[in-house]
Structure formats: C-alpha cells, structure tokens
Amino acid sequence: MRTVPTENCDVVMTFPDTTDDHTLLWLLNHVRLGIPELIMQIRHHRHTRIYAFFVTATYENLLRGAEEIGLRKPVKAEFGGGTRVFSCEEDYIYQNIENELNFFTSQERQSIIRYWMENLRAKQGETLHNIHFLEGQPIIPELAARGVIQQVFPVHEQRILSRLMKSWVQAVCERQPLDEICEYFGVKIAMYFSWLGFYTSSLVYPAVFGMMLWFFTESDQTSRDLSCVVFALFNVVWATLFLEGWKRRGAELAYKWGTLDTPAEFIEEPRPQFRGVKRISPVTNCEEFYYPPWKRLLFQSCVSLPICVSCLCFVFVVMLACFELQEFVLSIRELPRLVRFFPKILLAIIVSSCDEVYRKIAYWLNDMENYRLQSAYEKHLIIKIVLFQFVNSYLSLFYIGFYLKDMERLKEMLATLLVIRQFLQNVKEVAQPHLYQKVQQGEINSRSILLFVRYALRRLVQKYALPQRPARTPGDPLEPGFGNRKKCLNGGCGVPEEEEEGISEEDELEEESIMDCGLKLKREGSPTLMEKGSDPASVFQLGDDEEDEKEISGELQDIEEQETAVKLRPHRKRKKKLSVEQELRKEGDEEDDESARKQKRESWMDPPEDHNPTKLTQAEVESCMKKYEDTFQDYQEMFVQFGYVVLFSSAFPLAAVCALVNNIIEIRSDAFKLCSGLQRPFGRRVDGIGQWQVRS
C-alpha cells in the first residue's frame, strides 16, 4: 500500500471504532485544559474507520518540557563541553540551540510529549461513563488500561528510518551505528543492541577454540574426556571475562549517552491495571486502591504454584515420550539415518512451542496476582518466566547428561535444540509483525484463507484424483467417441459439438476439463477452442465477471466465479439477459445504500464518505502494526542461548559456532523487525541492561 507521510505529528492516540463523541470531547477538553503545551488535531482513518488524535508541541514548550524531565544535552566547547541537564535560563550554552529543527531529535520530542500525557491527572470526583477516577490519578494510562484508548504510539520518521535501513539492516559486515540507534529508538534499545554486539564478538573466542578441539581431538575416549574438561575450564574463564568486560563497556556507553548518573524515582506510580477497594491512605491521607496481601498469597498458593508445577511435570512427560519414540525409531535398523533425527527435531519444536504457551501463562498469573507497582510486577514475572525457560530448555539435556550419561546423545540433542529453536525464533520474529499488519489492514481474513484453501484443494483434486486423458499428437488416430468433437489448439481436451437449442449438460468431468484448459489459456490471452475455418473470437466469450476482476494483490475470487469466467456462446446470450437485470437491481441497491449512509451519519465528527480510492496515511498504516512490547523477550532468548554455550558446549564444542552464526543473523533480523514491521517504541533512558546483568 502506498502511504502519504504524516506531518506535524509526533504521537498518535487512537480509539476503537465504537467510541462515542462524548468520550472524544471529554478527553480533548481535558488535554487542552490540563496540558496547554500540546497541539492536538482530530483525524479520521478511512481504511480502519477509527478516530485518532495527532499530538505535537511548539519548540518553546518543548524547551520547558526538556527542563521538566531533566534531559541532558551537549554543551558548547567554550562553556566547558560535555553534557548537562537542560536549563531554560542558560539555554545559550547548549549546542544547536538556535536550530529549532535539529536541537531535539524526534525521540526526545516524543519522550517529552509522553511525559506530559502521562501526567494529566484527574480531579476529585471526576468520572467518564462508568470510570471513576481517584484524585490525582493519571487519566490517559487509566483509559488505556480500560480499553477506552486503543493505543498511543510515536510516529516513525521516514528519512532517518531509510538511513538506518542502509547503515544498519543491510550493512551486515559493518559495525552497528549505535549512536544513531540511541538517537532514534532511545537508550534502552540501543543498550540491548550494544550488548548483543558485544556478546556476539565475544563468542568468536569459544567458537575458534571449539572448532580446534572438534577437528584435532582424537577419536579415542581418553582424548574426548580430556578435551571436554579443557573446554569446560575455558568456558568458565571466558564467561567471567565476558561479564566483567560488559560491565565496563556498559558503563562507557551509559556515560556517553548521559544516563550513568540517572536518578532513581523516589515515588513510583501505581500500575494502571492495579485494582482493589478504595480507602484513605494512612501515609498520604489521600484516596487510593488497596488490595489485601492475603488474597495475593492465597492465589499464589492455590493457583500459581499448582499451575507452575503442572507445567513443569508436563515438560518432563513430553520429554520422556520423545525419548521413548527415539528408542523405538532406533530399534528399526532399516530406517535411514535422517529419519532417526525426527524425535529430536520433534522435541525441539515442542520446546519452542511451549515457550510461547508458558510465557502467556506467566503473564496471566502475574496479572491475576495484581501487583501495585511495576517494579514488583516485573520482578515476579521474571521469576516465573526464567523458571519455565530453565526447565523447558535444559531439562532434557540434564537428563541425558547426568542420568543417561550418554555424551553422543547429548551432543546430538544440543545441536538439534540450538539449530531448530534459533531458526524458528528468527522466522517468527521476522514474519509475525508483517502477518499481523496484513490482518489488521484486512488483507488477510478468514474469507480469503477459506477461499485459498478451497482453491488449493480443488486444484489438487483435479490434478491427482480425477482421471486425465492422454495428450494426442497430430498423427494419432482418433479415439472412439472423438470423431464428432472439436480439436483444442494445444491438443489435449475435446469439447462437445454445439447444437442450435443450446448445450446439453455434460458430466462433471467434462466441465472440469473445459474449465481447466480455459483458465490455463485465458492467462495467456488466447482462445482455447477453435473449429476448423471458424473465427477464434466467435467461439468463446469472456463473461461479465472479467470486468470486475481484482488485482493480484487483492483477495482471491470465489471459485464459482472463476468457473463461470469462460462460457460458450449460446449460454452467453442467456447470461447477458440476466446480467442486465442484475445491473438494474445493482443500481437500485447502490442508491438505497447511499441514502442509508446519509441517514447513518449522526455524529458531528463523521466526515463525508469518499468512495474514490485514496492513499493511506502513514499514521493509519502504523496503527495497524504490531506493538513492540519490550526488550524482555530478546534478552530471554539470549539468556537461554548463553546457558547452552556455557553449560553444555563442552559436550558439543561447535555450540559456540552455532550461536555465533545465529547472533549475526539475530542482530539484523531484530533490526529489520524494528525498522519495517513494528510500531516505533517510546525511548527509555536506562543506565544498563538491568537485572539481566546479574542473570547473564
């Protein structure tokens, strides 16, 4: 789809199509009164038929907002250089302060606007429909948690995005432009990619050493045991040096990007999803929500713990079932060697599938436990997911290594898990955002999938289930029953002779063969059947459906419509009469629809409908994209891979090589995902990789 760039807009706020005018007006008035610094415009998206607020701010207001959030900006050399927290009183000391277009990056503008929007607070007794706000409660996060606001996202900047695609996504053999990533996506995402790049470059050492051991170790058991011990010691030293080296590198980047001495928040806002009973706080003497701790403990003991134990037991049972299948396959000696890997591949696919299921279960349990603060929510979520991931990813390897004590089997299982899981993860990360966008834009729906399946099944039946007549050559004698039939130009099908009264009904086989040949040659642009001495154009006539043929990028046409696209001449006359009546009926229906649409426009905001095809705006296309949740899942994948390399690569020295190749692809696939398939995330200022530093 061709899009029109969205200008004079930094942040877009969208609403469901069922939102009424009162809600839009209520929020618009509150934003304009509570945040006069913002400039808001109402837009209507034609394709998705939803309303959106386009939000931006003037340069002078952005300067005041930079001071409020403590944004650090570079200082001119004559005033000492370095970076300093922005101050409006001394704005002359900062670089490029005179340039309104380049002083703030788009990510900094969006962060300031987001700060203002999240601090729009309700007054005492304010309500919207059935939503009752507490005094001082943030309005926009609460409406987003209740589903009144569909999404709030920053808009991509196409010029910088195109530059990143060339210097980051497509430049495979070059260094990552970390400073440009930080300016566009924020410090948190830039810190993840810098850590991933540092980890990937560090994998070169165990990869090279592992290849040396793999190729030069003798085949006897003593040499294998010795190389296993040596490589295990090497992994311990390498992992320690890697973790300490990243601490230094992370501190350098945090200082460079101005987040090393970021002050911690002394007062953390309650989560918008937190629910409870209203009470007067004994600390602040203000109204607040309260959830008794005993209820959370009861849910953890009676629901969370049994579900976690059940999931872990399910992993163990599936693992044993796959091992039994492996023993059965190995007992059949006639099977080829490739088939013997089927149980291992099946286990790797099941492990990858269970990761997603367990992640959703962990999120659901965490939501039901109803934590008040986001820090507590994330802490318990990491505990659940890491527990699931550790058992799901490493249980089979521990079982083989310490119970079965089969090193050859451990090596094969580790190689299979590494290759299959990493391949599936990369495919999912690249394909899932684009499929999500197609579904949201309506290009993929249940009807198009059903039509595609029906079309594929019918073609398979025509090709394999129905009997096929052999092709005739010009010298072959006519087969019995073919003497009174016309010849196909390409020689392959016969058509019964026409009669004056019309065409007698043929069996299903005859009709299918006519349709098959007709559709095939229709794409070539030539008639399919011709009588000797007759005009080719007079034999076949394209049906009325040809005029309404959709473009290739549209939905598949109905199979029945395709079958009637090519018809014989006598039948065309009857169909032409019907088509005239259908056209008259269609024109009447269109007039009724137009009058109904005019009566339906009851909202003061509804614009007049334009039925001419128009280009989509950039904001509308991005509203259909999948939201980038966080770096949590990306760190989680690397956490599992790091465990494979450190804990088990002594049994399979090429594990570091597999991880190195995967990470080279992972960097570019994650970059491609961010630049082309996902909504732009808000920038976050962090001083490191957080709790993953301790866990990695």
Side-chain angles (χ1 to χ4, degrees):
M1 292 186 177
R2 301 173 61 186
T3 61
V4 178
T6 299
E7 299 178 352
N8 299 325
C9 174
D10 290 303
V11 177
V12 175
M13 182 190 306
T14 64
F15 301 86
D17 54 358
T18 57
T19 306
D20 57 4
D21 297 346
H22 172 70
T23 302
L24 297 175
L25 280 175
W26 186 91
L27 182 59
L28 183 63
N29 291 333
H30 274 69
V31 171
R32 287 178 174 173
L33 293 176
I35 319 175
E37 298 86 357
L38 296 182
I39 301 174
M40 302 193 68
Q41 298 176 344
I42 300 179
R43 291 290 184 270
H44 182 263
H45 292 168
R46 297 177 181 272
H47 184 74
T48 55
R49 297 188 178 276
I50 60 175
Y51 289 101
F53 288 174
F54 287 10
V55 189
T56 187
T58 61
Y59 181 63
E60 292 76 12
N61 290 330
L62 288 174
L63 292 177
R64 290 195 291 269
E67 184 178 16
E68 291 181 21
I69 67 174
L71 184 66
R72 300 185 70 91
K73 298 296 292 183
V75 180
K76 296 178 180 178
E78 57 266 27
F79 295 102
T83 61
R84 188 184 301 181
V85 176
F86 184 80
S87 173
C88 292
E89 296 180 356
E90 300 177 332
D91 56 358
Y92 57 88
I93 69 174
Y94 299 97
Q95 295 180 8
N96 297 324
I97 187 65
E98 302 85 4
N99 193 338
E100 296 185 4
L101 297 178
N102 297 327
F103 183 70
F104 289 113
T105 64
S106 60
Q107 180 264 134
E108 290 172 341
R109 294 198 309 267
Q110 293 160 356
S111 298
I112 295 172
I113 292 174
R114 179 174 178 267
Y115 169 79
W116 281 332
M117 294 173 67
E118 289 184 348
N119 281 274
L120 176 64
R121 301 182 180 275
K123 299 178 182 178
Q124 186 176 9
E126 277 195 305
T127 61
L128 174 62
H129 298 305
N130 60 340
I131 303 176
H132 300 275
F133 295 96
L134 301 179
E135 183 180 2
Q137 184 178 8
I139 293 178
I140 293 181
E142 178 67 17
L143 294 180
R146 296 291 189 100
V148 177
I149 297 176
Q150 193 174 50
Q151 52 187 343
V152 180
F153 63 92
V155 179
H156 276 292
E157 195 169 353
Q158 297 297 330
R159 177 179 56 86
I160 300 178
L161 200 61
S162 301
R163 192 169 68 223
L164 281 175
M165 287 290 292
K166 295 179 180 178
S167 63
W168 187 24
V169 179
Q170 300 173 3
V172 179
C173 299
E174 299 179 7
R175 289 181 176 272
Q176 299 184 82
L178 294 178
D179 292 335
E180 295 182 16
I181 298 171
C182 179
E183 289 180 358
Y184 190 76
F185 289 108
V187 179
K188 188 172 185 178
I189 291 180
M191 193 68 72
Y192 162 72
F193 279 99
S194 62
W195 177 86
L196 183 56
F198 185 82
Y199 170 52
T200 303
S201 59
S202 300
L203 279 173
V204 173
Y205 303 104
V208 172
F209 190 67
M211 290 179 64
M212 293 173 58
L213 290 179
W214 178 267
F215 288 110
F216 296 107
T217 301
E218 300 293 335
S219 58
D220 59 286
Q221 188 63 34
T222 304
S223 300
R224 291 182 179 180
D225 294 342
L226 182 61
S227 65
C228 182
V229 173
V230 171
F231 198 57
L233 294 175
F234 175 84
N235 282 336
V236 172
V237 176
W238 169 79
T240 304
L241 294 177
F242 160 69
L243 294 176
E244 295 301 319
W246 167 250
K247 288 180 181 178
R248 181 171 182 175
R249 174 61 176 164
E252 291 176 358
L253 293 174
Y255 175 78
K256 181 180 179 181
W257 294 332
T259 59
L260 184 61
D261 53 351
T262 302
E265 295 184 3
F266 294 101
I267 300 177
E268 186 177 359
E269 291 286 346
R271 296 173 57 244
Q273 296 83 4
F274 176 70
R275 293 292 176 264
V277 296
K278 291 183 180 180
R279 72 164 189 177
I280 302 298
S281 173
V283 178
T284 62
N285 202 28
C286 296
E287 195 176 26
E288 66 174 6
F289 286 116
Y290 175 74
Y291 188 74
W294 65 267
K295 288 187 177 181
R296 184 178 300 113
L297 182 61
L298 181 64
F299 185 86
Q300 290 174 342
S301 304
C302 299
V303 180
S304 298
L305 184 60
I307 289 179
C308 292
V309 173
S310 301
C311 291
L312 300 182
C313 292
F314 175 77
V315 172
F316 186 72
V317 171
V318 169
M319 180 198 69
L320 292 180
C322 290
F323 286 161
E324 289 296 327
L325 180 61
Q326 177 73 20
E327 294 295 335
F328 174 75
V329 171
L330 292 177
S331 63
I332 306 175
R333 300 184 180 276
E334 294 79 8
L335 292 177
R337 180 176 176 81
L338 186 61
V339 179
R340 298 185 179 186
F341 279 92
F342 174 75
K344 297 184 180 69
I345 296 175
L346 178 62
L347 180 59
I349 295 175
I350 292 176
V351 168
S352 300
S353 303
C354 289
D355 283 344
E356 188 69 20
V357 176
Y358 296 153
R359 187 176 67 86
K360 292 182 178 180
I361 292 176
Y363 271 99
W364 180 78
L365 292 176
N366 230 41
D367 291 338
M368 295 301 295
E369 290 173 7
N370 195 23
Y371 292 99
R372 180 175 181 270
L373 301 180
Q374 185 67 25
S375 58
Y377 179 88
E378 293 178 355
K379 175 184 175 182
H380 288 83
L381 179 64
I382 289 177
I383 292 175
K384 292 182 180 68
I385 290 185
V386 167
L387 176 63
F388 282 145
Q389 287 287 334
F390 188 87
V391 175
N392 189 44
S393 303
Y394 305 138
L395 179 62
S396 58
L397 300 177
F398 278 114
Y399 182 80
I400 295 174
F402 293 97
Y403 184 76
L404 300 180
K405 299 180 181 179
D406 189 343
M407 295 298 291
E408 190 66 25
R409 195 169 179 178
L410 178 62
K411 177 176 64 177
E412 294 178 356
M413 192 70 236
L414 178 59
T416 305
L417 284 174
L418 268 174
V419 174
I420 299 297
R421 289 195 62 179
Q422 293 174 354
F423 172 77
L424 293 177
Q425 287 171 356
N426 286 327
V427 170
K428 185 185 73 172
E429 287 181 354
V430 174
Q432 188 178 17
H434 292 278
L435 292 176
Y436 180 87
Q437 181 181 355
K438 297 291 185 183
V439 171
Q440 292 296 314
Q441 291 177 347
E443 296 183 34
I444 299 179
N445 51 38
S446 58
R447 181 176 179 271
S448 62
I449 295 175
L450 178 61
L451 291 177
F452 177 78
V453 171
R454 290 173 57 189
Y455 176 77
L457 291 176
R458 182 161 298 193
R459 298 297 297 174
L460 289 175
V461 170
Q462 292 174 5
K463 186 173 182 180
Y464 297 106
L466 297 179
Q468 302 291 329
R469 289 193 176 94
R472 292 178 59 251
T473 59
D476 292 341
L478 291 175
E479 295 179 10
F482 275 79
N484 59 344
R485 297 180 182 237
K486 299 177 186 178
K487 298 179 182 179
C488 179
L489 287 179
N490 290 344
C493 61
V495 176
E497 196 156 18
E498 300 176 9
E499 300 178 5
E500 294 181 357
E501 305 82 42
I503 298 178
S504 60
E505 282 190 338
E506 297 293 327
D507 58 2
E508 185 179 355
L509 179 59
E510 294 282 349
E511 293 179 356
E512 293 291 346
S513 64
I514 293 174
M515 182 207 65
D516 186 33
C517 183
L519 287 178
K520 179 178 68 177
L521 291 178
K522 176 188 171 186
R523 292 192 294 265
E524 300 173 3
S526 62
T528 55
L529 300 177
M530 188 178 72
E531 210 173 333
K532 288 184 179 180
S534 63
D535 182 13
S538 65
V539 178
F540 275 80
Q541 175 70 30
L542 295 179
D544 298 328
D545 296 328
E546 173 101 351
E547 300 174 359
D548 299 329
E549 181 175 336
K550 297 181 180 179
E551 296 180 357
I552 298 177
S553 61
E555 295 181 357
L556 293 173
Q557 289 184 340
D558 196 5
I559 302 301
E560 287 74 9
E561 295 178 357
Q562 293 179 1
E563 292 179 0
T564 58
V566 179
K567 293 296 179 181
L568 298 177
R569 184 174 57 205
H571 185 65
R572 180 188 62 81
K573 295 179 180 179
R574 297 195 302 269
K575 184 174 180 180
K576 200 68 177 179
K577 296 178 181 179
L578 292 176
S579 63
V580 173
E581 297 176 1
Q582 291 173 355
E583 286 294 322
L584 293 175
R585 196 181 306 117
K586 183 178 179 181
E587 291 176 2
D589 292 341
E590 289 178 352
E591 294 177 357
D592 295 340
D593 293 341
E594 182 67 25
S595 60
R597 279 193 295 267
K598 292 180 179 179
Q599 294 176 0
K600 190 176 180 180
R601 277 190 59 213
E602 298 175 353
S603 172
W604 63 276
M605 291 184 181
D606 283 351
E609 294 191 20
D610 185 8
H611 301 289
N612 297 324
T614 58
K615 297 179 181 179
L616 295 178
T617 62
Q618 174 192 345
E620 185 173 3
V621 172
E622 291 182 16
S623 67
C624 298
M625 291 182 176
K626 186 178 177 61
K627 180 182 177 182
Y628 181 76
E629 297 296 339
D630 199 9
T631 56
F632 182 87
Q633 191 170 357
D634 297 322
Y635 279 120
Q636 175 188 322
E637 294 175 11
M638 294 298 106
F639 165 78
V640 174
Q641 186 200 86
F642 186 77
Y644 283 145
V645 173
V646 174
L647 297 177
F648 302 103
S649 61
S650 56
F652 180 54
L654 294 182
V657 179
C658 297
L660 177 62
V661 174
N662 171 79
N663 287 4
I664 294 174
I665 302 173
E666 179 81 15
I667 292 175
R668 307 304 165 180
S669 65
D670 285 350
F672 177 77
K673 174 182 66 176
L674 274 171
C675 293
S676 65
L678 296 173
Q679 290 179 358
R680 182 180 182 180
F682 282 102
R684 301 276 187 176
R685 299 179 61 81
V686 296
D687 58 353
I689 62 175
Q691 297 180 346
W692 295 103
Q693 173 69 40
V694 180
R695 288 173 171 78
S696 60

